PDB file of all heavy atoms in Angstrom:
ATOM      1  N   ILE B  14      16.466  -7.937   7.827  1.00 88.00           N
ATOM      2  CA  ILE B  14      15.453  -7.011   7.817  1.00 88.00           C
ATOM      3  C   ILE B  14      15.268  -6.629   6.539  1.00 88.00           C
ATOM      4  O   ILE B  14      16.168  -6.277   5.769  1.00 88.00           O
ATOM      5  CB  ILE B  14      15.720  -5.988   8.762  1.00 88.00           C
ATOM      6  CG1 ILE B  14      16.080  -6.301  10.170  1.00 88.00           C
ATOM      7  CG2 ILE B  14      14.684  -4.804   8.791  1.00 88.00           C
ATOM      8  CD1 ILE B  14      14.955  -6.940  10.857  1.00 88.00           C
ATOM      9  N   THR B  32      10.108  15.060  10.544  1.00 67.00           N
ATOM     10  CA  THR B  32       9.596  16.353  10.443  1.00 67.00           C
ATOM     11  C   THR B  32       8.398  16.497  11.356  1.00 67.00           C
ATOM     12  O   THR B  32       7.885  15.548  11.681  1.00 67.00           O
ATOM     13  CB  THR B  32       9.185  16.654   8.990  1.00 67.00           C
ATOM     14  OG1 THR B  32       8.183  15.926   8.687  1.00 67.00           O
ATOM     15  CG2 THR B  32      10.332  16.528   8.116  1.00 67.00           C
ATOM     16  N   PHE B  36       5.003  10.567  10.269  1.00 83.00           N
ATOM     17  CA  PHE B  36       4.573   9.357  11.135  1.00 83.00           C
ATOM     18  C   PHE B  36       5.469   8.285  10.776  1.00 83.00           C
ATOM     19  O   PHE B  36       5.689   8.043   9.507  1.00 83.00           O
ATOM     20  CB  PHE B  36       3.113   9.040  10.933  1.00 83.00           C
ATOM     21  CG  PHE B  36       2.620   7.903  11.516  1.00 83.00           C
ATOM     22  CD1 PHE B  36       2.184   8.048  12.884  1.00 83.00           C
ATOM     23  CD2 PHE B  36       2.527   6.721  10.936  1.00 83.00           C
ATOM     24  CE1 PHE B  36       1.630   6.963  13.603  1.00 83.00           C
ATOM     25  CE2 PHE B  36       2.018   5.562  11.642  1.00 83.00           C
ATOM     26  CZ  PHE B  36       1.554   5.713  13.064  1.00 83.00           C
ATOM     27  N   GLY B  37       6.007   7.559  11.668  1.00 87.00           N
ATOM     28  CA  GLY B  37       6.934   6.550  11.391  1.00 87.00           C
ATOM     29  C   GLY B  37       6.949   5.383  12.416  1.00 87.00           C
ATOM     30  O   GLY B  37       6.241   5.537  13.464  1.00 87.00           O
ATOM     31  N   GLU B  44      18.284  -9.692  19.948  1.00 93.00           N
ATOM     32  CA  GLU B  44      19.436 -10.541  19.635  1.00 93.00           C
ATOM     33  C   GLU B  44      18.969 -11.618  18.582  1.00 93.00           C
ATOM     34  O   GLU B  44      19.737 -12.073  17.730  1.00 93.00           O
ATOM     35  CB  GLU B  44      19.906 -11.341  20.755  1.00 93.00           C
ATOM     36  CG  GLU B  44      20.624 -10.396  21.808  1.00 93.00           C
ATOM     37  CD  GLU B  44      21.067 -11.252  22.985  1.00 93.00           C
ATOM     38  OE1 GLU B  44      20.958 -12.427  23.089  1.00 93.00           O
ATOM     39  OE2 GLU B  44      21.440 -10.502  23.993  1.00 93.00           O
ATOM     40  N   ASP B  45      17.726 -12.081  18.482  1.00 93.00           N
ATOM     41  CA  ASP B  45      17.204 -13.111  17.750  1.00 93.00           C
ATOM     42  C   ASP B  45      16.851 -12.528  16.279  1.00 93.00           C
ATOM     43  O   ASP B  45      15.776 -11.849  16.197  1.00 93.00           O
ATOM     44  CB  ASP B  45      16.109 -13.772  18.348  1.00 93.00           C
ATOM     45  CG  ASP B  45      15.569 -15.031  17.524  1.00 93.00           C
ATOM     46  OD1 ASP B  45      16.144 -15.364  16.516  1.00 93.00           O
ATOM     47  OD2 ASP B  45      14.416 -15.563  17.927  1.00 93.00           O
ATOM     48  N   SER B  46      17.589 -12.750  15.332  1.00 92.00           N
ATOM     49  CA  SER B  46      17.385 -12.346  14.005  1.00 92.00           C
ATOM     50  C   SER B  46      16.040 -12.825  13.314  1.00 92.00           C
ATOM     51  O   SER B  46      15.345 -12.051  12.673  1.00 92.00           O
ATOM     52  CB  SER B  46      18.484 -12.582  13.089  1.00 92.00           C
ATOM     53  OG  SER B  46      18.849 -13.917  13.014  1.00 92.00           O
ATOM     54  N   ARG B  51      10.396 -11.468  11.883  1.00 94.00           N
ATOM     55  CA  ARG B  51       8.941 -11.661  12.148  1.00 94.00           C
ATOM     56  C   ARG B  51       8.283 -10.429  12.436  1.00 94.00           C
ATOM     57  O   ARG B  51       7.227 -10.038  11.941  1.00 94.00           O
ATOM     58  CB  ARG B  51       8.654 -12.775  13.136  1.00 94.00           C
ATOM     59  CG  ARG B  51       8.855 -14.093  12.594  1.00 94.00           C
ATOM     60  CD  ARG B  51       8.231 -15.215  13.601  1.00 94.00           C
ATOM     61  NE  ARG B  51       8.910 -15.150  15.018  1.00 94.00           N
ATOM     62  CZ  ARG B  51      10.037 -15.794  15.258  1.00 94.00           C
ATOM     63  NH1 ARG B  51      10.592 -16.544  14.304  1.00 94.00           N
ATOM     64  NH2 ARG B  51      10.580 -15.737  16.487  1.00 94.00           N
ATOM     65  N   ALA B  53       9.354  -7.355  11.719  1.00 95.00           N
ATOM     66  CA  ALA B  53       9.408  -6.491  10.521  1.00 95.00           C
ATOM     67  C   ALA B  53       8.334  -6.929   9.510  1.00 95.00           C
ATOM     68  O   ALA B  53       7.595  -6.054   8.944  1.00 95.00           O
ATOM     69  CB  ALA B  53      10.861  -6.643   9.928  1.00 95.00           C
ATOM     70  N   LEU B  57       5.216  -4.622   8.156  1.00 94.00           N
ATOM     71  CA  LEU B  57       4.850  -4.444   6.723  1.00 94.00           C
ATOM     72  C   LEU B  57       3.443  -4.988   6.444  1.00 94.00           C
ATOM     73  O   LEU B  57       2.751  -4.361   5.549  1.00 94.00           O
ATOM     74  CB  LEU B  57       5.870  -5.193   5.874  1.00 94.00           C
ATOM     75  CG  LEU B  57       7.361  -4.697   5.981  1.00 94.00           C
ATOM     76  CD1 LEU B  57       8.277  -5.503   5.250  1.00 94.00           C
ATOM     77  CD2 LEU B  57       7.371  -3.118   5.363  1.00 94.00           C
ATOM     78  N   ASP B  61      -0.793  -2.702   4.913  1.00 88.00           N
ATOM     79  CA  ASP B  61      -1.904  -3.045   4.100  1.00 88.00           C
ATOM     80  C   ASP B  61      -3.259  -2.605   4.765  1.00 88.00           C
ATOM     81  O   ASP B  61      -4.244  -2.422   4.159  1.00 88.00           O
ATOM     82  CB  ASP B  61      -1.993  -4.552   3.743  1.00 88.00           C
ATOM     83  CG  ASP B  61      -0.827  -4.888   2.731  1.00 88.00           C
ATOM     84  OD1 ASP B  61      -0.331  -3.999   2.199  1.00 88.00           O
ATOM     85  OD2 ASP B  61      -0.519  -5.994   2.739  1.00 88.00           O
ATOM     86  N   THR B  75      19.611  -1.639  15.438  1.00 95.00           N
ATOM     87  CA  THR B  75      20.164  -2.937  15.819  1.00 95.00           C
ATOM     88  C   THR B  75      20.965  -2.716  17.047  1.00 95.00           C
ATOM     89  O   THR B  75      21.493  -1.611  17.351  1.00 95.00           O
ATOM     90  CB  THR B  75      20.985  -3.681  14.717  1.00 95.00           C
ATOM     91  OG1 THR B  75      22.027  -2.866  14.214  1.00 95.00           O
ATOM     92  CG2 THR B  75      20.045  -4.145  13.618  1.00 95.00           C
ATOM     93  N   GLY B  80      23.738   4.318  19.435  1.00 94.00           N
ATOM     94  CA  GLY B  80      22.562   4.903  19.953  1.00 94.00           C
ATOM     95  C   GLY B  80      21.487   3.918  20.423  1.00 94.00           C
ATOM     96  O   GLY B  80      20.489   4.307  20.994  1.00 94.00           O
ATOM     97  N   ALA B  86      16.115   2.309  25.972  1.00 88.00           N
ATOM     98  CA  ALA B  86      15.640   2.806  27.290  1.00 88.00           C
ATOM     99  C   ALA B  86      14.183   3.295  27.192  1.00 88.00           C
ATOM    100  O   ALA B  86      13.493   3.447  28.265  1.00 88.00           O
ATOM    101  CB  ALA B  86      16.505   3.967  27.735  1.00 88.00           C
ATOM    102  N   VAL B 101       6.065  10.033  16.054  1.00 76.00           N
ATOM    103  CA  VAL B 101       5.453  11.248  15.326  1.00 76.00           C
ATOM    104  C   VAL B 101       6.150  12.429  15.432  1.00 76.00           C
ATOM    105  O   VAL B 101       6.553  12.823  16.626  1.00 76.00           O
ATOM    106  CB  VAL B 101       3.994  11.332  16.234  1.00 76.00           C
ATOM    107  CG1 VAL B 101       3.258  12.514  15.561  1.00 76.00           C
ATOM    108  CG2 VAL B 101       3.221   9.934  16.099  1.00 76.00           C
ATOM    109  N   GLY B 102       6.370  12.959  14.318  1.00 66.00           N
ATOM    110  CA  GLY B 102       7.090  14.174  14.274  1.00 66.00           C
ATOM    111  C   GLY B 102       8.538  14.080  14.768  1.00 66.00           C
ATOM    112  O   GLY B 102       9.185  13.012  14.634  1.00 66.00           O
ATOM    113  N   CYS B 112       1.696  -7.825  21.139  1.00 89.00           N
ATOM    114  CA  CYS B 112       0.550  -8.682  20.989  1.00 89.00           C
ATOM    115  C   CYS B 112      -0.688  -8.155  20.257  1.00 89.00           C
ATOM    116  O   CYS B 112      -1.512  -8.822  19.680  1.00 89.00           O
ATOM    117  CB  CYS B 112      -0.072  -9.173  22.509  1.00 89.00           C
ATOM    118  SG  CYS B 112       1.247 -10.085  23.357  1.00 89.00           S
ATOM    119  N   PHE B 113      -0.681  -6.788  20.154  1.00 92.00           N
ATOM    120  CA  PHE B 113      -1.818  -6.043  19.503  1.00 92.00           C
ATOM    121  C   PHE B 113      -1.207  -5.139  18.617  1.00 92.00           C
ATOM    122  O   PHE B 113      -1.845  -4.013  18.200  1.00 92.00           O
ATOM    123  CB  PHE B 113      -2.651  -5.378  20.590  1.00 92.00           C
ATOM    124  CG  PHE B 113      -3.328  -6.286  21.592  1.00 92.00           C
ATOM    125  CD1 PHE B 113      -2.735  -6.287  22.878  1.00 92.00           C
ATOM    126  CD2 PHE B 113      -4.346  -7.006  21.294  1.00 92.00           C
ATOM    127  CE1 PHE B 113      -3.274  -7.177  23.800  1.00 92.00           C
ATOM    128  CE2 PHE B 113      -4.989  -7.862  22.258  1.00 92.00           C
ATOM    129  CZ  PHE B 113      -4.370  -7.990  23.505  1.00 92.00           C
ATOM    130  N   THR B 115      -0.821  -4.753  15.234  1.00 92.00           N
ATOM    131  CA  THR B 115      -1.604  -4.232  14.201  1.00 92.00           C
ATOM    132  C   THR B 115      -2.608  -3.237  14.518  1.00 92.00           C
ATOM    133  O   THR B 115      -2.655  -2.082  14.018  1.00 92.00           O
ATOM    134  CB  THR B 115      -2.237  -5.429  13.431  1.00 92.00           C
ATOM    135  OG1 THR B 115      -1.189  -6.289  12.834  1.00 92.00           O
ATOM    136  CG2 THR B 115      -3.149  -4.925  12.186  1.00 92.00           C
ATOM    137  N   GLU B 117      -2.582  -1.503  17.271  1.00 91.00           N
ATOM    138  CA  GLU B 117      -2.079  -0.312  17.844  1.00 91.00           C
ATOM    139  C   GLU B 117      -1.436   0.631  16.785  1.00 91.00           C
ATOM    140  O   GLU B 117      -1.518   1.796  16.837  1.00 91.00           O
ATOM    141  CB  GLU B 117      -0.977  -0.771  18.851  1.00 91.00           C
ATOM    142  CG  GLU B 117      -1.658  -1.309  20.119  1.00 91.00           C
ATOM    143  CD  GLU B 117      -0.840  -0.921  21.349  1.00 91.00           C
ATOM    144  OE1 GLU B 117       0.377  -1.199  21.528  1.00 91.00           O
ATOM    145  OE2 GLU B 117      -1.539  -0.372  22.273  1.00 91.00           O
ATOM    146  N   ARG B 131      -5.311  14.282  12.905  1.00 59.00           N
ATOM    147  CA  ARG B 131      -4.182  14.328  13.793  1.00 59.00           C
ATOM    148  C   ARG B 131      -4.713  15.195  14.977  1.00 59.00           C
ATOM    149  O   ARG B 131      -5.325  16.158  14.941  1.00 59.00           O
ATOM    150  CB  ARG B 131      -3.157  15.148  13.069  1.00 59.00           C
ATOM    151  CG  ARG B 131      -1.887  15.245  13.923  1.00 59.00           C
ATOM    152  CD  ARG B 131      -0.717  15.704  13.216  1.00 59.00           C
ATOM    153  NE  ARG B 131      -0.357  14.811  12.136  1.00 59.00           N
ATOM    154  CZ  ARG B 131      -0.167  15.171  10.861  1.00 59.00           C
ATOM    155  NH1 ARG B 131      -0.379  16.461  10.540  1.00 59.00           N
ATOM    156  NH2 ARG B 131       0.201  14.226   9.917  1.00 59.00           N
ATOM    157  N   ILE B 135       0.621  14.293  21.880  1.00 56.00           N
ATOM    158  CA  ILE B 135       1.454  13.084  21.847  1.00 56.00           C
ATOM    159  C   ILE B 135       2.603  13.180  22.931  1.00 56.00           C
ATOM    160  O   ILE B 135       2.943  12.166  23.539  1.00 56.00           O
ATOM    161  CB  ILE B 135       2.127  12.733  20.458  1.00 56.00           C
ATOM    162  CG1 ILE B 135       2.740  11.297  20.567  1.00 56.00           C
ATOM    163  CG2 ILE B 135       3.085  13.775  20.079  1.00 56.00           C
ATOM    164  CD1 ILE B 135       2.722  10.668  19.338  1.00 56.00           C
ATOM    165  N   ASN B 143       8.875  11.738  28.850  1.00 52.00           N
ATOM    166  CA  ASN B 143       8.038  11.254  30.079  1.00 52.00           C
ATOM    167  C   ASN B 143       8.336   9.786  30.353  1.00 52.00           C
ATOM    168  O   ASN B 143       7.359   9.030  30.155  1.00 52.00           O
ATOM    169  CB  ASN B 143       6.562  11.508  29.768  1.00 52.00           C
ATOM    170  CG  ASN B 143       6.357  12.947  29.639  1.00 52.00           C
ATOM    171  OD1 ASN B 143       6.693  13.788  30.443  1.00 52.00           O
ATOM    172  ND2 ASN B 143       5.784  13.347  28.451  1.00 52.00           N
TER     173      ASN B 143
END
Side-chain angles (χ1 to χ4, degrees):
I14 300 295
T32 65
F36 177 83
E44 291 180 9
D45 182 10
S46 57
R51 282 191 301 274
L57 291 174
D61 292 338
T75 57
V101 179
C112 294
F113 303 102
T115 297
E117 290 217 301
R131 186 170 294 129
I135 191 148
N143 300 300

